[in-house]
Amino acid sequence: MAAVARSLTRTASLAAPRASTFRTATSTIQRALVRQNFQTASRRSYASGPSGGSSSSSTPYVIGALALAGAGGAYFYTQSGGQSVTETHAKQGSSGESRGVFTPNKEDYQKVYNAIAERLEEKEDYDDGSYGPVLVRLAWHCSGTYDKDTKTGGSNGATMRFAPEGDHGANAGLKAARDFLEPVKQKFPWISYSDLWTLAGVAAIQEMQGPLIPWRPGRADRDVSFCTPDGRLPDGAKEQSHLRAIFGRMGFDDREIVALSGAHALGRCHTDRSGFDGPWTASPTVVSNDYFRLLLSEKWAFRKWDGPKQYQDLASKSLMMLPTDMALIKDKEFKKHVERYAADDQAFYNDFRDVLVKLFELGVPFQSKPEDRMVLKPVFGSGDE
């Protein structure tokens, strides 16, 4: 119940929002309580390149061969620049004899998922009491660099590990998410960073009461030469033409753009990162359709401050929206999807699930098929179907 308790505490601490904001927050918490009660009874026992040039080459290259001794086993792997690789784990007995080789299966990935979920539950020292939102942002940003024309970028590679990409302005603050996951990587050295980061995004969504997200492994880590150029991620200070250009480059249509924007129900902006400030909703660690409801139900005006142009709700002055958020209700094609998601949370969850699957798989040369995707069981969250 820790996640629900945090939501209650955060909502109560906000400055007296008007009735419509209060009703939105209350309905979110009610939904979370219902899900959490069901979850407690039934699931607590579950143990988860630059554009052009050489970056588009599919010539295989060896990143390295790693031999890890100890813990009763040794793990060896190589990785390819253009193709995903099948991971194998060479097991040894206590006396060093060979015990065979295995390929990680669903049970192994469930263990990784569980480790992420357990850290999310244990570590409450970030922002609104959860690392969940920043893990979603990490998975989003490592995937959202994909360019469908040059076939560069995307989650395959985990190139944010390197300074050129990790230092991009849009990625400010994501070191916290990468550091949070490092103990999980050390515990399960056979998983690539590329798979780990996207799996962490899935775990965060599910553990924050969101929908179940089908996921599959197969991403390979790449070297610094595959870092993408700056400017491929959305700029919150711009409007609808920018959104269509950025998301269109990845292959998303208007409906998918709006569905992905629903991730702004989570987390907050920071002045020392994006320059913007504040949360979008009153329950920033619970997946909900409140972002869309608030866009339509609240009155918004420019905030009077020394920071960049952003909006705040007139009633409580505790919530914010970016120019890219307001573009979703200024543009009639975008707005019809906002209205649909505001009126039907299940429609949002379904589309949000599907578009996240697409986002996390952009540009990945899987050896597996779409039907091989796995749904990993939530540990503390409800994971709506």
Side-chain angles (χ1 to χ4, degrees), residues 144-185:
T145 57
Y146 182 66
D147 186 315
K148 63 182 173 58
D149 295 324
T150 63
K151 303 296 189 293
T152 57
S155 63
N156 194 49
T159 48
M160 201 191 301
R161 291 170 295 140
F162 305 110
E165 192 169 326
D167 290 345
H168 290 170
N171 293 329
L174 288 178
K175 184 178 185 298
R178 299 194 299 270
D179 288 349
F180 174 90
L181 292 171
E182 195 58 33
V184 181
K185 172 65 173 172

Side-chain angles (χ1 to χ4, degrees), residues 238-377:
K238 298 185 178 180
E239 298 196 355
Q240 51 264 46
S241 61
H242 171 74
L243 287 175
R244 288 194 172 97
I246 291 291
F247 286 94
R249 188 204 69 237
M250 297 182 235
F252 292 114
D253 60 24
D254 284 357
R255 178 184 59 82
E256 293 170 317
I257 292 171
V258 177
L260 275 175
S261 298
H264 280 177
L266 302 169
R268 61 173 58 237
C269 288
H270 304 77
T271 55
D272 61 345
R273 298 176 189 179
S274 63
F276 301 108
D277 176 57
W280 288 267
T281 73
S283 299
T285 62
V286 177
V287 177
S288 72
N289 67 337
D290 286 354
Y291 167 76
F292 302 110
R293 297 169 64 186
L294 290 165
L295 268 173
L296 296 172
S297 66
E298 295 301 310
K299 294 186 182 301
W300 301 91
F302 288 124
R303 177 179 174 178
K304 295 179 181 179
W305 72 317
D306 294 332
K309 182 171 119 176
Q310 70 175 66
Y311 296 81
Q312 67 180 184
D313 70 301
L314 290 179
S316 71
K317 295 182 170 56
S318 63
L319 305 177
M320 59 85 69
M321 291 288 172
L322 303 175
T324 46
D325 299 313
M326 299 305 292
L328 299 183
I329 57 175
K330 290 180 179 178
D331 185 284
K332 66 179 184 179
E333 294 302 316
F334 283 149
K335 188 175 181 180
K336 67 184 182 183
H337 300 296
V338 173
E339 292 172 335
R340 184 166 67 91
Y341 295 146
D344 185 346
D345 59 357
Q346 195 59 53
F348 166 59
Y349 297 146
N350 291 342
D351 286 357
F352 189 51
R353 173 199 63 214
D354 293 345
V355 77
L356 283 178
V357 171
K358 178 176 176 178
L359 174 67
F360 293 166
E361 293 190 353
L362 290 175
V364 181
F366 290 109
Q367 295 178 358
S368 61
K369 299 176 181 178
E371 53 266 32
D372 295 325
R373 294 177 184 131
M374 59 187 77
V375 174
L376 299 170
K377 298 173 182 177

Side-chain angles (χ1 to χ4, degrees), residues 55-130:
S55 65
S56 62
S57 171
S58 61
T59 303
Y61 69 96
V62 176
I63 291 293
L66 176 65
L68 294 174
Y75 175 66
F76 305 87
Y77 69 90
T78 61
Q79 292 175 322
S80 161
Q83 298 181 0
S84 59
V85 294
T86 301
E87 296 165 332
T88 58
H89 193 150
K91 297 180 68 176
Q92 292 179 333
S94 59
S95 60
E97 75 275 14
S98 175
R99 298 289 296 274
V101 176
F102 75 92
T103 299
N105 57 24
K106 183 177 179 179
E107 181 180 355
D108 298 306
Y109 289 107
Q110 183 71 60
K111 291 176 182 177
V112 180
Y113 177 105
N114 293 351
I116 297 168
E118 287 161 6
R119 283 183 63 76
L120 281 172
E121 185 73 3
E122 293 165 2
K123 295 184 69 63
E124 301 179 343
D125 58 340
Y126 186 82
D127 270 2
D128 298 286
S130 174

